[in-house]
Amino acid sequence: QVQLVESGGGLVQPGDSLRLSCATSARISGRYTMAWFRQVPGQERKFVASITWPGSIQDYGDSVKGRFAISRDNAKNTLNLQMTNLKPEDTGIYYCAGGPRLIRSSIGSAIHYSYWGQGTQVTVSS
């Protein structure tokens, strides 16, 4: 069983940057997809970004394209999300997710991921 633990959340002002990390309890080998989702109260988890292995193919939700960057550090078994030019609408609980490699049409749907972290709160407010 793979465990995921997020860190790096906090309270920031609009325009600030923040870096989230997700530590995995074990190396996820083979072909897989790792992703970040965001959730606000009363709403479903919304796709933020994903990265596949091998190939490091990245995908982003429309609202974060050009501002967020997802990366994978295989040596440290860590998934990262660099967030820049943060906006109030980026506020929410950010979850790390992972599982067997998904086809492109499935990466944005939370139901296809096998492993989830406990989430880390990001609040963007002036």
Side-chain angles (χ1 to χ4, degrees), residues 8-89:
L11 172 63
V12 297
Q13 295 186 340
D16 284 353
S17 298
L18 201 61
R19 183 179 178 87
L20 304 182
S21 293
C22 173
T24 61
S25 61
R27 185 174 185 274
I28 300 178
S29 60
R31 299 167 63 87
Y32 60 83
T33 297
M34 298 289 294
W36 290 94
F37 284 78
R38 177 177 67 241
Q39 188 171 29
V40 298
Q43 297 184 20
E44 295 182 351
R45 293 183 182 182
K46 182 178 180 181
F47 174 75
V48 175
S50 68
I51 187 166
T52 59
W53 191 264
S56 296
I57 299 172
Q58 301 168 25
D59 284 280
Y60 296 91
D62 289 340
S63 65
V64 306
K65 286 181 181 177
R67 299 188 298 121
F68 290 12
I70 189 171
S71 63
R72 168 81 176 161
D73 187 335
N74 286 326
K76 297 181 179 179
N77 294 334
T78 301
L79 178 73
N80 301 304
L81 183 68
Q82 180 67 45
M83 305 185 291
T84 62
N85 190 21
L86 282 160
K87 303 176 181 181
E89 51 264 41

Side-chain angles (χ1 to χ4, degrees), residues 60 109 113:
Y60 296 91
S109 178
Y113 291 84

